[in-house]
Amino acid sequence: MQPLEKMHCILFSHFSCKKGAPAKYVDVQDFSNGLAAVCVDVSGVRKWGYIDTKGNMVIEPKFTIMPSKFDKCGLAMVADKEKNLMFINRQGQVVSEKYENITAFCNGRALWTTPCNGRGRILSCDMMIDNN
């Protein structure tokens, strides 16, 4: 589903919005594996969380940088206040260590490079280094 902007509201095509109602979300991303990242304004600070296809907030907005979509592994990349990258599951639980240089998962793999030598490693869905 593609997000739409209509009548001063950001909404998804199957949600309703009353004319003149304040926007609930500052920004929204496409659904991926049943969840979509949404951004809300909390006292002037933008925070990201996730909603399900019924519009329920399932992972509370707490991330200050736009998170990635959920991969087929059921993991998404998020950043903490110090901008360290880590992965969460669909319940919002952190399931990895913190990384400085890592990509989001794509087809069950993420690329991690070490800052000291720049050598690349491949992480699999279970967060194990894949030497293949």
Side-chain angles (χ1 to χ4, degrees):
M1 289 178 229
Q2 296 294 319
L4 306 171
E5 187 167 344
K6 184 177 181 181
M7 297 182 283
H8 308 291
C9 291
I10 295 176
L11 65 148
F12 290 89
S13 58
H14 67 288
F15 296 150
S16 63
C17 181
K18 296 179 182 175
K19 186 175 181 179
K24 188 172 185 176
Y25 304 119
V26 177
D27 197 359
V28 295
Q29 299 300 312
D30 294 338
F31 280 94
S32 175
N33 293 309
L35 299 177
V38 294
C39 183
V40 297
D41 186 299
V42 179
S43 302
V45 177
R46 291 182 173 201
K47 296 201 176 197
W48 289 86
Y50 288 89
I51 60 171
D52 63 17
T53 56
K54 294 181 181 178
N56 300 313
M57 187 69 68
V58 294
I59 299 175
E60 291 300 316
K62 57 186 170 187
F63 309 109
T64 55
I65 298 173
M66 184 176 66
S68 73
K69 295 179 179 183
F70 278 89
D71 185 66
K72 66 181 182 178
C73 296
L75 301 174
M77 185 172 61
V78 298
D80 64 13
K81 293 176 188 175
E82 291 79 34
K83 299 185 181 176
N84 293 308
L85 303 172
M86 65 199 90
F87 293 96
I88 60 170
N89 62 20
R90 295 173 47 85
Q91 291 73 43
Q93 301 164 320
V94 175
V95 296
S96 73
E97 59 184 272
K98 295 178 180 181
Y99 300 96
E100 290 182 21
N101 303 302
I102 195 162
T103 64
F105 275 91
C106 180
N107 296 321
R109 301 278 191 270
L111 177 62
W112 168 49
T113 56
T114 56
C116 56
N117 64 15
R119 185 173 175 207
R121 299 279 190 173
I122 303 292
L123 291 180
S124 60
C125 288
D126 58 5
M127 305 309 297
M128 300 298 289
I129 295 174
D130 186 348
N131 293 319
N132 294 331

